Amino acid sequence: MNPIAIVSAMHDELSKVLELMPDEQKQIRAGREFWLGHLHNQAVVVVLSGIGKVAAATTATLLIEHFGVDRILFTGVAGALGQDVKIGDMVIADSFLHHDLDASPLFPRYEIPGYGTSTLKADENLTHQLVQACNYVLTHLPSDMDAGVIETFSLQSPQLHQGLVVSGDCFVSSARASQQLQTELPLALAVEMEGAAFAQVCHDYGIPFAAVRTMSDKADDEATLDFTRFLAEVASHFSMRVVDRWLFSLNTAP
Ligand code: ADE
């Protein structure tokens, strides 16, 4: 059986997933630590992609070429776009777009040269499984989560959204930049720095890819406020629970 890849950009997004693995073994490739082991009887490779699209593309290629993974799940944080998406909500990507790609006038803005499209689709089956896992997690919110944390981040009733996730090599941290993105890409629900790169590499290799992001900020002037705390105290719990539930459901599926 080929292993499944579980990926995040930053350590705090993945630390609790690693804690779940009883038998992990480390392999270093291209300066990255790949953790090989098992979760719910599934062979997994857990890795930090690093931040940004180039780091993501290198990691995705290594996972496929060297570790032979047969699907990739990305879990992490993102900036929320639009009125309806709040901090603490989860966004599952149904498609990805490089918001900083512009080869005009040779190609329409955002179009990936040679692909004839600007959007890359998430794998339907994997995404469906992810929706079920996230719904479960959101309806069974962590009982071990500090009441102060729930209060600080207004996590009383986080919602699940599904739609377009946009990626670029910049941390969006001003109301102006966020507003511009929303005007130019009104369908975008979340902004991050790796998803579209993973989706493109996975598209090239024909490997199923899905991603879920917990909203850590509104991609505005307050985006960096409490970011580290959110990662450690909220995102890490959410990631671990989603991965745990998803792999559990694969294991128990008929
Ligand atoms: N990841 C989390 N928040 C983000 C933001 N505001 N911009 C880009 N990537 C992010």
Side-chain angles (χ1 to χ4, degrees):
M1 275 269 282
N2 296 70
I4 298 172
I6 316 278
V7 190
S8 293
M10 284 179 281
H11 176 261
D12 276 334
E13 294 169 316
L14 214 53
S15 55
K16 296 214 175 302
V17 173
L18 279 171
E19 283 170 18
L20 287 180
M21 286 167 68
D23 61 343
E24 76 273 19
Q25 300 216 328
K26 183 168 75 176
Q27 272 193 38
I28 297 187
R29 285 263 143 175
R32 288 149 175 76
E33 293 180 353
F34 292 84
W35 296 92
L36 281 65
H38 291 83
L39 269 172
H40 292 296
N41 292 329
Q42 305 280 343
V44 292
V45 183
V46 175
V47 65
L48 293 183
S49 66
I51 299 171
K53 296 199 292 179
V54 176
T58 303
T59 309
T61 308
L62 275 169
L63 282 168
I64 297 164
E65 286 278 6
H66 183 74
F67 293 95
V69 303
D70 65 4
R71 61 211 120 141
I72 299 180
L73 172 70
F74 197 107
T75 162
V77 296
L81 298 175
Q83 296 259 314
D84 294 341
V85 189
K86 309 260 183 326
I87 292 176
D89 284 3
M90 281 182 171
V91 171
I92 292 182
D94 63 17
S95 54
F96 303 86
L97 174 146
H98 297 276
H99 72 76
D100 55 358
L101 177 53
D102 186 357
S104 61
L106 301 180
F107 296 89
R109 190 168 178 199
Y110 306 121
E111 183 168 314
I112 310 167
Y115 288 64
T117 181
S118 54
T119 52
L120 296 151
K121 290 210 179 316
D123 181 74
E124 259 180 47
N125 186 30
L126 213 52
T127 299
H128 175 69
Q129 294 166 359
L130 199 51
V131 169
Q132 290 185 319
C134 290
N135 270 326
Y136 179 89
V137 169
L138 289 180
T139 47
H140 297 77
L141 262 189
S143 51
D144 56 347
M145 202 180 266
D146 189 56
V149 172
I150 295 180
E151 182 74 29
T152 307
F153 296 108
S154 307
L155 298 178
Q156 283 81 5
S157 55
Q159 302 296 305
L160 182 62
H161 310 264
Q162 208 176 334
L164 178 67
V165 170
V166 298
S167 315
D169 278 316
C170 51
F171 188 88
V172 181
S173 58
S174 76
R176 206 171 138 265
S178 167
Q179 197 49 58
Q180 193 174 340
L181 266 181
Q182 291 174 61
T183 306
E184 286 163 1
L185 296 163
L187 293 181
L189 299 181
V191 58
E192 38 83 307
M193 301 176 69
E194 299 82 21
F198 262 92
Q200 190 170 334
V201 174
C202 288
H203 169 276
D204 291 348
Y205 281 98
I207 292 288
F209 174 62
V212 57
R213 297 276 186 167
T214 306
M215 299 302 103
S216 56
D217 58 271
K218 293 282 291 173
D220 58 10
D221 303 80
E222 292 175 6
T224 49
L225 226 72
D226 289 334
F227 185 74
T228 318
R229 190 168 168 215
F230 187 91
L231 277 181
E233 296 183 25
V234 182
S236 61
H237 285 268
F238 279 22
S239 287
M240 180 268 280
R241 283 179 159 77
V242 168
V243 169
D244 191 44
R245 182 67 197 176
W246 174 56
L247 292 174
F248 171 79
S249 70
L250 290 186
N251 206 26
T252 52

